[in-house]
Amino acid sequence: MDLSHSLLVLLSFLGFYAAQEILPEGPVDVVLGKNVTLRTLLVKPEYVFIVWTYNDGADQVHVATLSETGLKLNIPYEGRVSVDPDTGSLFLAAAKGKDSGDYGISIISKDGGTKTAEIKLRVLEPVSEVTIKSNLAEAMEHNSTVVLSCSAKGSFLKFTWTNRTKPLIPDGKRITLKEEELSSVITITGVLRWDLQGPISCEAANKLESDSSAPFNLTVYYGPEMVAIAPPTPPQFIKAGSDFNLSCSAESSPAATFQWFHNQQLMKNSGPTLTLMKIQELGIGAEAGQFSCVASNDKTKRAVASAAVSFAVMGAITGVNVSGPTAVLLAGNSSANLSCGADAGEVLTVTWKKDGQALTAGGRVVFAKDMRSVMIEPVQKEDNGEYTCQLSNPVSNEMASYKMVVNYGPEEPKVSGEKAVEINDKVTLTCSAPSVPPANFTWRFNGTVTDVTTATYVIDKAVYKNTGTYTCEAHNAVTGRTGQVTHSLSVKEEGSMDGLSDGAIAGIVIAVLVAVGAAIGLFLYCRQKVPVESPY
């Protein structure tokens, strides 16, 4: 019997006693084919022999013995095992599946004392072939029960499920989890669309390594739901002859198909958009009625109708015109009636303006009940201007205008211009008199009609004989009225008006007039003193 065998028999007799000061807590894991070291907690222990043994649960086998004379290995471990002489740690290369088991260490000192300890080594199969499988290729929301199983190869595996990046956690009711040795099964009852939005992944792992499945997606069909028409509130009125679109949408997977109904009658139109071309051609009269859509899902076999929307078709207003008096209007004597109409379209609102400002009732202005006409009685000069009638309905807004002419005047004429000038000065006298139509002008000088018939009387170079009274006469041929005004002009010696103020000039003119008046008075007085011969 050799020494190794004798030591093994002796150690078997003594038995193993746990000694935490020799080996750490186990187990120690290693991946199949990888190297592993069973490390001790010792530093330069004193020993005669350090003996490592292996026990697979049935037999105890000698592995290695380290002594002062060297290392002795059991034949199956030659080339794979070494023992560190400073710590007693065991190094095992290229771990095999049959290397799994309990490893014992015995340290025999020079005084014959023995310390023993034991640690478990687990050789783990690599994690691989992580795969997700589903009991269904596609699912129906609320109706389907989905069973997802994740399987893998490896040892001591734990499985983790994720949906996108978030953990897929069972609630123990609708979503349950069942763990098996090499698989994990999740069951989802009454699956919802967000349960498996995906991608779904499964990770299998042990203490040393992990591996994940390929991303998995399961289509969950749902809907249609939230079926709605846009715009949800169409205009109350749509212009006749125009195009109008309605669109229908729904939450659905796969995408819903759509049918359209008018007053609950199926239309030929299909698809998410209903285009009504030249809307009066629908043959539905002024009331367009109600429109609705039905969304259908071929997978779920569901069909859901939208709420109905309605609107009316209204014709646009066209051919707006304003008529007014055709006779001549005289301020203060005539009355005017303005009427507004349209060739087509329903008129709901009538608005009148004069020269861009709102025309309101009151005094001489009276509107008809329907606002289609307005009476002004009597007309005055301020009624001259442009009258605009605006006809409106919800789909159109049109207007027309009428120019009204009220004849008046002339009002009291006025003359502007020089009252005194020096000889050879230019004189310009301007006569004005508000009048419609514009007044005709006639000028008189000292009571004698001149050949000037314009509003302006011009003297290029004044002479003394231009001194006197100028009368402007304004005449309106339509109203037959005439007005006149006089203006006095004094022509002075050159230089006589230098430095004179307007007041001084006025004083001189007044003095001249007084002197002329005195002379005329004296002449008349002397004439009365002359004897008159009797006719008899």
Side-chain angles (χ1 to χ4, degrees), residues 251-281:
E251 291 286 337
S252 180
S253 175
T257 58
F258 299 95
Q259 290 180 306
W260 289 90
F261 291 80
H262 172 238
N263 291 337
Q264 300 182 349
Q265 298 297 314
L266 179 64
M267 303 178 70
K268 294 180 180 180
N269 307 69
S270 62
T273 301
L274 173 65
T275 300
L276 304 175
M277 303 292 292
K278 296 184 179 180
I279 197 167
Q280 76 271 22
E281 295 182 3

Side-chain angles (χ1 to χ4, degrees), residues 520-533:
I520 294 172
L522 179 61
F523 171 76
L524 294 175
Y525 175 78
C526 292
R527 187 176 181 182
Q528 290 175 357
K529 298 298 183 178
V530 175
V532 179
E533 294 182 2

